[in-house]
Amino acid sequence: MVKQSVSEGQAVRTGFARQLSTTKQREIRFGKFPPGQAEKALALLAGLDGLAVQPGPRPNTVHIQYEVTDYTFEGIEAALADQGFHLDNTLYSKILRAIVYYCEDTQLCNLRSPERLIKKSSEVYVKVWDHHLHGDHDETPPELREYK
């Protein structure tokens, strides 16, 4: 895996490895037959906005870079399959594909969910306690509270 530095100083690995930001770098692997699929896919994907495409480091591969909020790896591969492209169907590729689909789906769900106030949850209880009648806040008049 090749590492590239991100502006925040976090390392991003290419391919299927862990990536910390929403910018994803993936490698689409095509089957050996029919030949020339990678070149055709490169030409097809180059026309999409927000998707950077270049030839892959190995034969029958295309390297892509995209924002997970704009595209998903599953969506890109499904669109290619709909166009008649044959993806690599080795067990290794299927497992990696499933992991990437799951990770991107989970990341999108987490990005869409509202931010939770986990660290500030105690403030909620403090505010409720401030408004709650407690301690010496008895409505009984003082003269009735004293023992005579």
Side-chain angles (χ1 to χ4, degrees):
M1 297 288 157
V2 177
K3 288 188 179 181
Q4 295 180 344
S5 62
V6 179
S7 60
E8 300 97 67
Q10 299 171 337
V12 173
R13 297 178 189 167
T14 60
F16 292 102
R18 190 179 88 181
Q19 298 176 17
L20 302 175
S21 71
T22 58
T23 302
K24 302 300 174 189
Q25 297 181 28
R26 305 280 186 224
E27 181 180 273
I28 301 175
R29 298 176 181 185
F30 296 96
K32 292 181 181 179
F33 297 103
Q37 291 188 96
E39 293 79 17
K40 291 177 185 175
L42 186 69
L44 181 67
L45 294 174
L48 296 175
D49 290 337
L51 187 68
V53 186
Q54 60 189 21
R58 289 177 283 285
N60 299 321
T61 62
V62 173
H63 183 80
I64 58 174
Q65 182 176 349
Y66 58 92
E67 282 291 322
V68 76
T69 54
D70 297 331
Y71 298 100
T72 62
F73 193 59
E74 184 175 14
I76 293 168
E77 286 194 333
L80 288 171
D82 288 344
Q83 294 294 319
F85 290 92
H86 298 279
L87 301 173
D88 183 22
N89 280 326
T90 61
L91 181 61
Y92 177 74
S93 291
K94 287 180 181 181
I95 291 171
L96 288 178
R97 208 175 276 137
I99 292 169
V100 169
Y101 293 173
Y102 174 77
C103 291
E104 286 186 358
D105 186 47
T106 302
Q107 185 175 17
L108 282 172
C109 286
N110 290 339
L111 288 171
R112 290 181 187 131
S113 68
E115 185 177 338
R116 295 189 179 132
L117 299 173
I118 294 172
K119 292 185 179 180
K120 296 184 179 184
S121 64
S122 61
E123 291 179 15
V124 173
Y125 297 110
V126 169
K127 288 182 181 181
V128 169
W129 181 254
D130 286 343
H131 296 306
H132 179 69
L133 295 175
H134 58 277
D136 224 8
H137 298 287
D138 190 2
E139 293 184 18
T140 307
E143 59 273 0
L144 295 176
R145 278 191 257 153
E146 295 177 8
Y147 179 76
K148 293 186 182 181

